[in-house]
Amino acid sequence: MTSQPHSPQITAITDLPVSQAKWATLKKIDYVDQSGTSRSWEMAARKTRGKAGVDAVAIGNIILHPSRPPCTVLVIQYRPPLDAYTVEWPAGLIDADETPDQAAIRELKEETGYETAKVLDVSPTVAADPGLTNANMQLVMVEVHLKEGDAPPEQRLDDGENIERVVVPLADMYAKLIEYLKKERYVVAAKLWHWAAGLEFARTQKYI
Amino acid sequence: MTSQPHSPQITAITDLPVSQAKWATLKKIDYVDQSGTSRSWEMAARKTRGKAGVDAVAIGNIILHPSRPPCTVLVIQYRPPLDAYTVEWPAGLIDADETPDQAAIRELKEETGYETAKVLDVSPTVAADPGLTNANMQLVMVEVHLKEGDAPPEQRLDDGENIERVVVPLADMYAKLIEYLKKERYVVAAKLWHWAAGLEFARTQKYI
């Protein structure tokens, strides 16, 4: 992020009354459990979920080029909740009128510039952090086919978005994430970490 | 969950004032971004984080037995935020005076009954859902070695905990998760899904 004129800086963290929140909220759930006992649970939730009933997509991607090893493009951006630069797959909220595939293609284009991706698989809806929130997402796996002379594409970021791209050979993905995690003020997203760890486990394990 | 006398049921979901919340909270972050512009961000956070600075551990586990294929034990529990039974690896919050390894061994024992696990790897701290929360976790990979005649261990659940265990061959893990996702009122946790998807990708892909 050396091209940035400023290092992001938090100036205040304050309690946010639920009545003033636009994007997130806090709920109390009263429920009766399996034994018939009344209990309660505290939950954070997004306020932006549309018709589809799914908050977000992440775009697991394979970048194929005639003369380079298969790669994946990761995005790095300052995330205020962590006060750190997070390494993630491209991702974003699903707009009200979108399917997960459409949201995935749009977000990939906005955040990385890659325009023509082939959708390989759309995961079922899975729960982001089930003890704390109802937030959910789908993992859309895509393939991007580049030609020999293709120039790096241009990002189409929204105003205020500041996202760095990094293209990493799939075979080095796990090692690269560990490198990032050693850098000051860098964090890796848990979902990306788990996918890379599953891949690495399969490649190095002795069990199956 | 056929042995359960009641199906859990939500009776009310209400706004939870930040001042009344015990476990979770909502914060507004004011910050100055890379371009020098003042912005704000809404964040959910846990109120339980201890000295270690890490909220939780998940226990990625390999169960080895002389005459059975390598397996992993998953836990299924009703999660009020999803109003569903979630399929996850054993996991839990790190107590104030614990290391991640200690929390992992304790939670594995409580939720599954397996007492003697060998820690293979403790991941760096990764971010659970970086756009919404500061929640973070570490993935602790462990190996459990069983002997031929070992009886299934007893769980040591807290009062009110109701957790079903399921032991799945590693080679079938991805397919089993898809089976669960087809069942009514079952959801898979995103982190477990990503690990299994990474494993399956490595086993079936043509790239590396």
Side-chain angles (χ1 to χ4, degrees):
Chain A
M1 314 298 277
T2 48
S3 66
Q4 299 309 324
H6 296 269
S7 182
Q9 195 168 358
I10 289 178
T11 51
I13 301 179
T14 48
D15 279 354
L16 175 64
V18 171
S19 59
Q20 289 175 28
K22 285 184 191 167
W23 299 89
T25 187
L26 208 58
K27 298 278 185 186
K28 175 167 171 258
I29 303 172
D30 294 309
Y31 68 105
V32 178
D33 77 5
Q34 284 102 316
S35 67
T37 307
S38 291
R39 296 184 181 276
S40 68
W41 196 274
E42 299 179 4
M43 165 179 80
R46 291 186 181 277
K47 298 180 80 170
T48 47
R49 189 179 290 179
K51 278 180 301 195
V54 184
D55 292 315
V57 286
I59 302 102
N61 65 84
I62 318 296
I63 311 290
L64 299 168
H65 183 277
S67 60
R68 292 179 212 150
C71 289
T72 192
V73 60
L74 306 174
V75 293
I76 302 175
Q77 63 200 295
Y78 176 72
R79 291 286 203 179
L82 283 307
D83 191 23
Y85 296 98
T86 58
V87 182
E88 307 171 54
W89 262 333
L93 300 180
I94 303 176
D95 287 345
D97 55 352
E98 280 181 324
T99 64
D101 308 47
Q102 289 167 339
I105 298 290
R106 176 182 55 73
E107 285 286 353
L108 183 71
K109 185 169 157 181
E110 288 174 8
E111 295 193 350
T112 73
Y114 293 112
E115 296 206 23
T116 50
K118 179 183 163 198
V119 173
L120 301 176
D121 184 56
V122 179
S123 85
T125 302
V126 292
D129 196 3
L132 179 63
T133 86
N134 69 349
N136 60 15
M137 55 86 60
Q138 289 177 274
L139 174 62
V140 179
M141 291 298 300
V142 307
E143 226 175 39
V144 175
H145 291 261
L146 302 181
K147 296 197 201 75
E148 190 61 58
D150 281 353
E154 279 183 37
Q155 292 169 298
R156 287 162 180 78
L157 300 175
D158 290 337
D159 177 47
E161 277 194 310
N162 203 315
I163 297 180
E164 186 191 358
R165 300 166 294 185
V166 53
V167 177
V168 172
L170 271 183
D172 304 339
M173 187 178 177
Y174 185 76
K176 284 282 178 191
L177 294 184
I178 290 176
E179 262 179 47
Y180 275 111
L181 281 157
K182 287 180 182 162
K183 290 175 73 167
E184 199 178 343
R185 224 181 172 190
Y186 278 75
V187 175
V188 171
K191 293 186 287 280
L192 177 65
W193 175 264
H194 277 70
W195 195 89
L199 180 77
E200 187 71 6
F201 180 88
R203 296 180 66 212
T204 57
Q205 53 89 32
K206 56 192 185 290
Y207 305 106
I208 55 174
Chain B
M1 315 298 279
T2 49
S3 66
Q4 298 310 322
H6 296 268
S7 181
Q9 195 167 358
I10 289 178
T11 51
I13 301 179
T14 46
D15 279 353
L16 175 62
V18 171
S19 59
Q20 288 175 29
K22 285 184 192 167
W23 299 88
T25 188
L26 208 58
K27 297 280 185 186
K28 177 166 170 259
I29 304 171
D30 294 308
Y31 68 105
V32 177
D33 77 4
Q34 284 102 317
S35 66
T37 307
S38 290
R39 296 183 180 276
S40 68
W41 196 274
E42 298 179 5
M43 165 179 82
R46 290 187 182 278
K47 297 179 81 168
T48 47
R49 189 178 291 179
K51 278 180 298 194
V54 183
D55 292 314
V57 285
I59 302 101
N61 63 85
I62 319 295
I63 310 289
L64 298 169
H65 183 277
S67 61
R68 293 179 212 148
C71 289
T72 192
V73 60
L74 305 175
V75 292
I76 302 177
Q77 64 198 297
Y78 176 72
R79 290 287 202 179
L82 283 307
D83 192 24
Y85 297 98
T86 57
V87 184
E88 307 171 52
W89 263 331
L93 300 181
I94 303 176
D95 287 344
D97 55 350
E98 281 181 323
T99 65
D101 307 47
Q102 289 168 340
I105 298 291
R106 176 181 55 74
E107 286 286 352
L108 182 71
K109 185 169 158 182
E110 287 174 8
E111 296 192 351
T112 73
Y114 292 114
E115 297 206 24
T116 50
K118 179 183 161 197
V119 173
L120 302 175
D121 185 56
V122 179
S123 85
T125 303
V126 292
D129 196 4
L132 180 62
T133 86
N134 69 348
N136 60 15
M137 55 86 61
Q138 288 177 275
L139 174 62
V140 180
M141 291 299 300
V142 307
E143 229 175 35
V144 175
H145 291 260
L146 302 181
K147 296 197 201 73
E148 190 60 59
D150 281 353
E154 279 183 36
Q155 292 169 296
R156 289 164 178 78
L157 299 175
D158 290 336
D159 177 48
E161 276 193 312
N162 202 316
I163 297 180
E164 186 191 358
R165 300 165 294 183
V166 53
V167 176
V168 172
L170 270 183
D172 304 338
M173 186 178 178
Y174 185 76
K176 285 282 178 192
L177 294 184
I178 289 176
E179 263 179 44
Y180 275 112
L181 282 158
K182 287 179 181 162
K183 290 175 74 166
E184 201 178 341
R185 225 181 171 189
Y186 278 76
V187 176
V188 171
K191 292 186 286 279
L192 177 64
W193 175 265
H194 277 70
W195 195 90
L199 180 76
E200 187 71 5
F201 180 88
R203 296 180 65 213
T204 58
Q205 54 88 32
K206 56 192 184 292
Y207 306 106
I208 53 174

